[in-house]
Amino acid sequence: MARPLVATKLYVPNLRRGLVPRPRLTALLGRGAEAKLTLVSAPAGFGKTTLLADWLAPAADDHRAVAWISLDSSDSEPSSFWTYVVSAVQGAVPSVSAGALELLATSPLSTDLVLTTLLNELSTAPDELWLVLDDYHLVDTTDIRQGMIFLLDHLPPLVHVVLSTRADPDLPLARWRAHNDLVEIRAADLRFTPDEAATYLNEATGLSLAVGDVELLEERTEGWIAALQLAALSIRGHADASRFIARFAGNDRHIVDYLVEEVLQHQPEPVRGFLLRSAVLDRLTGSLCDDVTGSNDGSRMLASLERANLFLVSLDDQREWYRYHHLFADLLRARLLAEQPEQVPLLHQRASRWYEAHDMTEEAVRHALAARDFDRAARLIELTVPSVRRHRREAMLFGWLTELPDDIVRSSPVLSVFRGYMLMVSGDLDAVAPRLDDAERALAAVANGSVPPWADTDELRTLPAIIAVYRASLAQARGDVSATADHARRALDLAGPNDHLARGSAAGFLGLAAWASGDVMNALETFGQAVASLHAAGNLVDELSSTVILADMWLAAGRPSKARQLYEQALKVTDAQGDPVTRATAELHVGLSEIDLEASDLDGARRHLDAADAPGQVVITESRYRWFVAMAKVAQVARDPDEAIQLLDQAERLYRPGFFPDVRPIAAMKSRIWITQGKLAEAADWAQERGLSATEAVSYLREFDHLTLVRLLLAQHRAQPGTASIEPLVSLLGRLLESATKSGRAGSLLEIRLLQALADDAQGNSPRALAWLADAVALAPEPQAYSRLFLDEGPPMMRLLTEAGQLGVAGDHPRRLLSLGAASRAEAADVGRRAAQSLGASLTERELQVLRLLDSELSGPQIARQLFVSHNTLRTHTKHIFTKLEVTDRRAAVRRARDRGLL
């Protein structure tokens, strides 16, 4: 039986209404509508959850959507936490698509990307949304924390977050407090006043206590609601309530322990025993409780405890799953450990066996670890590795491995390998090889013909080849092309003929090594074999995703038509397959957009980028950064270089090194834009940081950088002629030409010859410049597929093309390019005019007033006061402005408005 995640997580607690009116607190909560974050922070038992449930109960009538998540410590793994958050938001706001949720299945997880996708969709939601994270202190880890800061810093105006927590979260509360983006409710606010305590004790519980008794209880508990609740339960079992209260009011620093003793002491022994033994469980259901406690009436007992209001919280509408109130569970566990310490491991072992029998391996592992039954835990982890990897739960696997003693991990070859993989992902490359060595030693220690002592899985059978694959991956992460190829070849030797995934991975690394060395023809052949192995393994998504790499290789070979053909064929497959391969579909559209853009088909490029970013499409991390790169190119063509830089900044945040050779570094792309803007100092700083020199040796992995350096040196020469010799860059181009010629990289040769033409033109050698231009066109396999490569060089290239057209050099290509350039400039100007006119007409007079004030040093509350509106009304105006300007923050709105002539 699978644990019902939706029922256990995305649930507004089924608590009794507070029964004590608290208008002072509901008024304070109401202020959260004008803030990003409402923080309800107090120790356990102060009524945080009940207060929020009461306040949000009428949300539907107030046109407020509520997404509520009740958290526990097992939710601190980022992919689990954000899955619950996105799922809760989807349930509350039907217009939110599955895009963000599907991104969570990718590896490595990019929290910023998931949240950006979610926030973009929430920005169009019509009503207020309140996201409540109850018991947030249980998940306040570094990984979660960074995502929460990003989320809160970029919240749309109508979205608000409520954190209910026992301890202040490690978030920039001071900054949000200073900007009036934080509403705080603390223990001093939550404590029952004497009047509220009297209402609770006499009306809600029906105890009819004397005024003096109520005052004494309220004074000793200091308004702590849980203590009052415990006291009320205990008072019911005493004939003399005043005497009990007098003793309770004594100066005893162990009041809570005393109350629990009173509660437990008045329960029948079967109930008390059940409470203690079941306390090891985070969640309870009848058959699980039977196996753990040794009883046969778990379901009846749970129903009885719920009716008695004995700190049991229902987790679903079917009353199948429950949990104890956290405070009560903590105290029960403490009592169990004090009274029956020898029982604790046994109870956890029983829970682990039940969860394993019900195919809930994650919980089985957790209880095996709690029982310190490490051998059992290791076996369970070995069994669950395929599922964990398939569902991209590497962070959870890493957590398990860190709980296991190191000698247990080292004794399991499967666990040793994945411990090494986790270390590599974390960036600790030096620690990876020793773990792979451990795995190989453990495998070698098994005598021929003997049965291995580990779980019999495909992971174990193919492990020797997988170890070699990881060694290849480690070598690639270090930039060691030769070692990458050596280990990949060994993996191929070790893999069986039907080990298609291992063979595909090995062939893939061989192809990537050839690509990184610039041998594109060999890379195409070898990587094609990798794709065939993925096909044989039935791994369709990875097979289709590999099309992107193959297409890049064909582009390097100067064959855009072949790349386009691959993309279009793959898209036909994805269209036929539907949902299972939607993430590959998005990658393919991104690739096609790049080809269209190079051919100056701006409309086609935009259509593909829109398709890649459409609801329901998923772009995995590698291609998501490429989506932003392609959008940056569109912005550059549209003459919006600042927007292009911003998009490349986003791409840089999403990029993960080590997966593929970095043949087009994003930093170099930014430098090319700076050069076109005349920001030569910024570009020079980039070159210095990269350690670039016109005299250094050339390689394919540095080619993009070197060609960017050539553009910088040319720009510097044009800006200050005669200050430096142009010969070093000419020499660099010569070495680059020789390298690309030997490797058959026709795509590189076209760009190099184009730059050689510009270098000669800069020296005043027009005949030789035209000769280089003619060679560039004549020797390119598909010159008609290229236009932006020429047009992005700006006025110097336009002048050279004009001269070539007049002299009949390079056929009709100069006239074609000049025509495309003129059309592109006219389109950009026309788009700018139409956008300015459209925006000017669509923004209301009040929105224009707000926009002008956004272009000032005033804070949001100060703008609201100047306009005599509430901060919430200002947020609504700002949201409308952002939507119309197609931006997501104030700075971008001002910049876009200036570009469109609105400011």
Side-chain angles (χ1 to χ4, degrees), residues 452-507:
W454 312 291
D456 185 13
T457 64
D458 285 341
E459 296 287 337
L460 178 65
R461 183 179 58 79
T462 62
L463 200 60
I466 296 300
I467 291 172
V469 167
Y470 279 124
R471 291 193 188 279
S473 180
L474 178 60
Q476 179 171 275
R478 295 185 184 279
D480 189 339
V481 177
S482 175
T484 300
D486 289 343
H487 290 302
R489 280 189 284 268
R490 174 168 170 74
L492 280 175
D493 292 339
L494 292 170
N498 295 320
D499 293 340
H500 298 299
L501 277 176
R503 298 190 69 82
S505 299

Coordinates of all heavy atoms in Angstrom, one line a residue, residues 452-507:
P452 N 27.4 -13.4 -4.4 CA 27.7 -12.2 -3.8 C 26.8 -11.9 -2.6 O 25.6 -12.3 -2.6 CB 27.5 -11.1 -4.9 CG 27.6 -11.9 -6.2 CD 27.0 -13.3 -5.8
P453 N 27.3 -11.3 -1.5 CA 26.5 -11.1 -0.3 C 25.6 -9.8 -0.4 O 25.0 -9.5 0.6 CB 27.6 -10.8 0.7 CG 28.7 -10.2 0.0 CD 28.7 -10.8 -1.4
W454 N 25.4 -9.3 -1.6 CA 24.6 -8.0 -1.7 C 23.3 -8.3 -2.5 O 23.2 -9.4 -3.0 CB 25.4 -7.0 -2.5 CG 26.8 -6.8 -1.9 CD1 27.2 -6.3 -0.7 CD2 28.1 -7.2 -2.5 NE1 28.5 -6.4 -0.5 CE2 29.1 -6.9 -1.6 CE3 28.4 -7.8 -3.8 CZ2 30.4 -7.2 -1.9 CZ3 29.7 -8.1 -4.1 CH2 30.7 -7.8 -3.2
A455 N 22.4 -7.4 -2.4 CA 21.2 -7.5 -3.1 C 21.4 -7.8 -4.6 O 22.2 -7.1 -5.3 CB 20.3 -6.2 -3.0
D456 N 20.7 -8.8 -5.1 CA 20.9 -9.2 -6.5 C 20.1 -8.3 -7.4 O 18.9 -8.5 -7.6 CB 20.4 -10.7 -6.7 CG 20.7 -11.2 -8.1 OD1 21.5 -10.5 -8.9 OD2 20.1 -12.2 -8.5
T457 N 20.7 -7.3 -8.0 CA 20.1 -6.3 -8.8 C 20.9 -6.1 -10.1 O 22.1 -6.5 -10.2 CB 20.0 -4.9 -8.1 OG1 21.3 -4.4 -7.9 CG2 19.2 -5.1 -6.8
D458 N 20.2 -5.5 -11.1 CA 20.9 -5.2 -12.4 C 22.1 -4.2 -12.1 O 23.1 -4.2 -12.8 CB 20.0 -4.6 -13.4 CG 19.1 -5.7 -14.0 OD1 19.5 -6.8 -13.9 OD2 18.0 -5.3 -14.6
E459 N 21.9 -3.3 -11.1 CA 22.9 -2.4 -10.7 C 24.2 -3.1 -10.3 O 25.3 -2.7 -10.7 CB 22.4 -1.5 -9.6 CG 21.2 -0.6 -9.9 CD 21.6 0.6 -10.8 OE1 22.8 0.9 -10.8 OE2 20.7 1.1 -11.4
L460 N 24.1 -4.2 -9.6 CA 25.2 -4.9 -9.2 C 25.9 -5.6 -10.4 O 27.1 -5.6 -10.5 CB 24.9 -5.9 -8.1 CG 26.0 -6.8 -7.6 CD1 27.0 -6.0 -6.9 CD2 25.4 -7.9 -6.6
R461 N 25.1 -6.2 -11.2 CA 25.6 -7.0 -12.4 C 26.4 -6.1 -13.3 O 27.4 -6.6 -13.8 CB 24.4 -7.7 -13.1 CG 24.8 -8.6 -14.2 CD 23.6 -9.2 -14.9 NE 22.7 -8.2 -15.4 CZ 22.9 -7.5 -16.5 NH1 23.9 -7.7 -17.3 NH2 22.0 -6.6 -16.9
T462 N 25.9 -4.9 -13.6 CA 26.6 -4.0 -14.5 C 27.6 -3.1 -13.9 O 28.1 -2.2 -14.6 CB 25.5 -3.2 -15.3 OG1 24.8 -2.4 -14.4 CG2 24.6 -4.1 -16.0
L463 N 27.9 -3.3 -12.6 CA 28.6 -2.3 -11.9 C 30.1 -2.1 -12.4 O 30.5 -1.0 -12.4 CB 28.7 -2.7 -10.4 CG 29.0 -1.5 -9.4 CD1 28.0 -0.4 -9.6 CD2 29.1 -2.0 -8.0
P464 N 30.8 -3.2 -12.8 CA 32.1 -2.9 -13.3 C 32.1 -1.9 -14.5 O 33.0 -1.0 -14.5 CB 32.6 -4.3 -13.8 CG 31.9 -5.2 -12.9 CD 30.5 -4.6 -12.7
A465 N 31.2 -2.0 -15.4 CA 31.1 -1.1 -16.5 C 30.7 0.3 -16.0 O 31.2 1.3 -16.5 CB 30.1 -1.6 -17.6
I466 N 29.8 0.3 -15.1 CA 29.3 1.6 -14.5 C 30.5 2.3 -13.8 O 30.6 3.6 -13.9 CB 28.1 1.4 -13.6 CG1 26.9 0.8 -14.3 CG2 27.7 2.7 -12.9 CD1 26.4 1.7 -15.5
I467 N 31.3 1.6 -13.1 CA 32.5 2.2 -12.4 C 33.3 2.9 -13.5 O 33.8 4.0 -13.3 CB 33.3 1.2 -11.6 CG1 32.4 0.7 -10.4 CG2 34.6 1.7 -11.2 CD1 33.0 -0.5 -9.7
A468 N 33.6 2.2 -14.6 CA 34.4 2.8 -15.6 C 33.7 4.0 -16.2 O 34.4 5.0 -16.6 CB 34.7 1.8 -16.7
V469 N 32.4 4.0 -16.4 CA 31.7 5.2 -16.9 C 31.9 6.4 -15.9 O 32.1 7.5 -16.3 CB 30.2 4.8 -17.0 CG1 29.4 6.1 -17.3 CG2 30.0 3.9 -18.2
Y470 N 31.8 6.1 -14.6 CA 32.0 7.2 -13.6 C 33.4 7.7 -13.6 O 33.6 8.9 -13.4 CB 31.5 6.7 -12.2 CG 30.0 6.8 -12.0 CD1 29.3 5.7 -11.6 CD2 29.3 8.0 -12.3 CE1 28.0 5.7 -11.4 CE2 28.0 8.0 -12.1 CZ 27.3 6.9 -11.6 OH 25.9 7.0 -11.5
R471 N 34.3 6.8 -13.9 CA 35.7 7.3 -14.0 C 35.8 8.2 -15.3 O 36.6 9.2 -15.2 CB 36.7 6.2 -14.1 CG 36.8 5.4 -12.8 CD 38.0 4.4 -12.9 NE 38.1 3.5 -11.7 CZ 38.5 3.8 -10.5 NH1 39.0 5.0 -10.3 NH2 38.5 2.9 -9.6
A472 N 35.1 7.9 -16.3 CA 35.1 8.8 -17.5 C 34.5 10.1 -17.2 O 34.9 11.2 -17.6 CB 34.4 8.1 -18.7
S473 N 33.4 10.0 -16.4 CA 32.7 11.3 -16.0 C 33.6 12.1 -15.2 O 33.6 13.4 -15.3 CB 31.4 10.9 -15.3 OG 30.7 12.1 -14.9
L474 N 34.3 11.5 -14.3 CA 35.2 12.2 -13.4 C 36.3 12.9 -14.2 O 36.7 14.1 -14.0 CB 35.8 11.3 -12.4 CG 36.9 11.9 -11.4 CD1 36.3 13.0 -10.6 CD2 37.4 10.8 -10.5
A475 N 36.8 12.2 -15.2 CA 37.9 12.7 -16.1 C 37.3 13.9 -16.9 O 38.0 14.9 -17.0 CB 38.4 11.7 -17.0
Q476 N 36.1 13.8 -17.3 CA 35.5 14.9 -18.1 C 35.3 16.1 -17.2 O 35.6 17.3 -17.6 CB 34.2 14.5 -18.7 CG 33.6 15.7 -19.5 CD 32.4 15.3 -20.3 OE1 32.5 14.8 -21.4 NE2 31.2 15.4 -19.7
A477 N 34.9 15.9 -16.0 CA 34.7 17.0 -15.0 C 36.0 17.7 -14.8 O 36.1 18.9 -14.5 CB 34.1 16.5 -13.7
R478 N 37.1 17.0 -14.9 CA 38.5 17.6 -14.7 C 39.0 18.2 -16.0 O 40.1 18.8 -16.0 CB 39.5 16.6 -14.2 CG 39.1 16.0 -12.8 CD 40.2 15.1 -12.3 NE 40.0 14.5 -11.1 CZ 40.2 15.0 -9.9 NH1 40.6 16.3 -9.8 NH2 39.9 14.4 -8.7
G479 N 38.3 18.0 -17.1 CA 38.8 18.5 -18.4 C 39.9 17.7 -19.0 O 40.6 18.1 -19.9
D480 N 40.0 16.4 -18.6 CA 41.0 15.5 -19.1 C 40.4 14.7 -20.2 O 39.8 13.6 -20.0 CB 41.5 14.6 -18.0 CG 42.7 13.7 -18.4 OD1 42.9 13.6 -19.6 OD2 43.4 13.3 -17.5
V481 N 40.5 15.1 -21.5 CA 39.9 14.5 -22.6 C 40.4 13.1 -22.8 O 39.7 12.2 -23.1 CB 40.1 15.4 -23.9 CG1 39.5 14.7 -25.1 CG2 39.4 16.7 -23.7
S482 N 41.8 12.9 -22.8 CA 42.4 11.7 -23.0 C 41.9 10.6 -22.0 O 41.5 9.5 -22.4 CB 43.9 11.8 -22.9 OG 44.5 10.5 -23.1
A483 N 41.9 10.9 -20.7 CA 41.4 10.0 -19.7 C 40.0 9.7 -19.9 O 39.5 8.5 -19.6 CB 41.7 10.5 -18.3
T484 N 39.2 10.7 -20.3 CA 37.7 10.4 -20.5 C 37.6 9.3 -21.5 O 36.8 8.4 -21.4 CB 37.0 11.7 -21.0 OG1 37.2 12.7 -20.0 CG2 35.6 11.4 -21.3
A485 N 38.3 9.4 -22.6 CA 38.2 8.4 -23.7 C 38.7 7.0 -23.2 O 38.1 6.0 -23.5 CB 39.0 8.9 -24.9
D486 N 39.8 7.0 -22.5 CA 40.4 5.7 -22.0 C 39.4 5.0 -21.1 O 39.1 3.8 -21.3 CB 41.7 6.0 -21.2 CG 42.8 6.4 -22.1 OD1 42.7 6.2 -23.4 OD2 43.8 7.0 -21.6
H487 N 38.8 5.7 -20.2 CA 37.8 5.0 -19.3 C 36.5 4.6 -20.0 O 36.0 3.6 -19.7 CB 37.5 6.0 -18.1 CG 38.6 6.2 -17.2 ND1 39.2 5.1 -16.5 CD2 39.2 7.3 -16.7 CE1 40.1 5.6 -15.7 NE2 40.2 6.9 -15.8
A488 N 36.1 5.4 -21.0 CA 34.9 5.1 -21.7 C 35.2 3.8 -22.6 O 34.3 2.9 -22.7 CB 34.5 6.2 -22.7
R489 N 36.4 3.7 -23.1 CA 36.7 2.4 -23.9 C 36.7 1.2 -23.0 O 36.2 0.1 -23.3 CB 38.0 2.6 -24.6 CG 37.9 3.4 -25.9 CD 39.2 3.3 -26.7 NE 40.2 4.2 -26.1 CZ 40.4 5.5 -26.4 NH1 39.7 6.0 -27.4 NH2 41.4 6.2 -25.9
R490 N 37.2 1.4 -21.7 CA 37.2 0.3 -20.8 C 35.8 -0.1 -20.4 O 35.4 -1.3 -20.3 CB 38.0 0.7 -19.5 CG 37.9 -0.4 -18.4 CD 38.9 -0.2 -17.3 NE 38.6 -1.0 -16.2 CZ 38.9 -2.3 -16.1 NH1 39.4 -2.9 -17.2 NH2 38.6 -3.0 -15.1
A491 N 34.9 0.9 -20.3 CA 33.5 0.6 -20.0 C 32.9 -0.2 -21.1 O 32.1 -1.2 -20.8 CB 32.7 1.9 -19.7
L492 N 33.2 0.1 -22.3 CA 32.7 -0.7 -23.4 C 33.2 -2.1 -23.4 O 32.4 -3.1 -23.7 CB 33.1 0.0 -24.8 CG 32.2 1.2 -25.2 CD1 32.8 1.8 -26.5 CD2 30.8 0.8 -25.5
D493 N 34.4 -2.3 -23.0 CA 35.0 -3.6 -22.9 C 34.3 -4.5 -21.8 O 34.1 -5.7 -22.0 CB 36.5 -3.6 -22.6 CG 37.3 -3.0 -23.8 OD1 36.8 -3.0 -25.0 OD2 38.4 -2.5 -23.6
L494 N 33.9 -3.8 -20.7 CA 33.4 -4.5 -19.6 C 31.9 -4.8 -19.7 O 31.3 -5.7 -19.2 CB 33.6 -3.7 -18.3 CG 35.0 -3.6 -17.8 CD1 35.1 -2.5 -16.7 CD2 35.5 -4.9 -17.3
A495 N 31.2 -3.9 -20.5 CA 29.7 -4.1 -20.6 C 29.4 -5.3 -21.5 O 30.0 -5.5 -22.5 CB 29.1 -2.8 -21.2
G496 N 28.3 -6.0 -21.1 CA 27.9 -7.1 -21.9 C 27.2 -6.6 -23.2 O 26.8 -5.4 -23.3
P497 N 27.0 -7.5 -24.1 CA 26.3 -7.0 -25.4 C 24.9 -6.5 -25.2 O 24.4 -5.7 -26.0 CB 26.3 -8.3 -26.3 CG 26.5 -9.4 -25.3 CD 27.3 -8.9 -24.2
N498 N 24.2 -6.9 -24.1 CA 22.9 -6.5 -23.9 C 22.8 -5.4 -22.8 O 21.7 -5.0 -22.4 CB 22.0 -7.6 -23.5 CG 21.8 -8.6 -24.7 OD1 21.7 -8.2 -25.8 ND2 21.9 -9.9 -24.4
D499 N 23.9 -5.0 -22.3 CA 24.0 -3.9 -21.3 C 23.9 -2.5 -22.0 O 24.9 -1.8 -22.0 CB 25.2 -4.0 -20.4 CG 25.3 -5.2 -19.6 OD1 24.2 -5.8 -19.3 OD2 26.4 -5.6 -19.1
H500 N 22.7 -2.3 -22.5 CA 22.6 -1.1 -23.4 C 22.8 0.2 -22.8 O 23.4 1.1 -23.4 CB 21.2 -1.2 -24.1 CG 21.0 -2.4 -24.9 ND1 21.8 -2.7 -26.0 CD2 20.1 -3.4 -24.8 CE1 21.3 -3.8 -26.5 NE2 20.3 -4.3 -25.8
L501 N 22.4 0.3 -21.5 CA 22.6 1.6 -20.8 C 24.1 1.9 -20.6 O 24.6 3.0 -20.8 CB 21.8 1.7 -19.5 CG 20.3 2.0 -19.6 CD1 19.7 2.0 -18.3 CD2 20.2 3.4 -20.2
A502 N 24.8 0.8 -20.1 CA 26.2 1.0 -19.9 C 26.9 1.3 -21.2 O 27.8 2.1 -21.3 CB 26.8 -0.3 -19.2
R503 N 26.6 0.5 -22.2 CA 27.2 0.7 -23.5 C 26.9 2.1 -24.1 O 27.8 2.8 -24.7 CB 26.8 -0.4 -24.5 CG 27.2 -1.8 -24.1 CD 27.0 -2.8 -25.2 NE 28.0 -2.6 -26.3 CZ 29.2 -3.0 -26.3 NH1 29.7 -3.7 -25.2 NH2 30.1 -2.8 -27.2
G504 N 25.7 2.5 -23.9 CA 25.3 3.8 -24.4 C 26.0 4.9 -23.7 O 26.5 5.9 -24.3
S505 N 26.2 4.8 -22.3 CA 26.9 5.8 -21.6 C 28.3 5.9 -22.0 O 28.9 6.9 -22.1 CB 26.8 5.5 -20.1 OG 25.4 5.5 -19.7
A506 N 29.0 4.7 -22.2 CA 30.4 4.7 -22.5 C 30.6 5.3 -23.9 O 31.5 6.1 -24.1 CB 30.9 3.2 -22.5
A507 N 29.8 4.9 -24.9 CA 29.9 5.4 -26.2 C 29.6 6.9 -26.2 O 30.3 7.7 -26.9 CB 28.9 4.7 -27.2

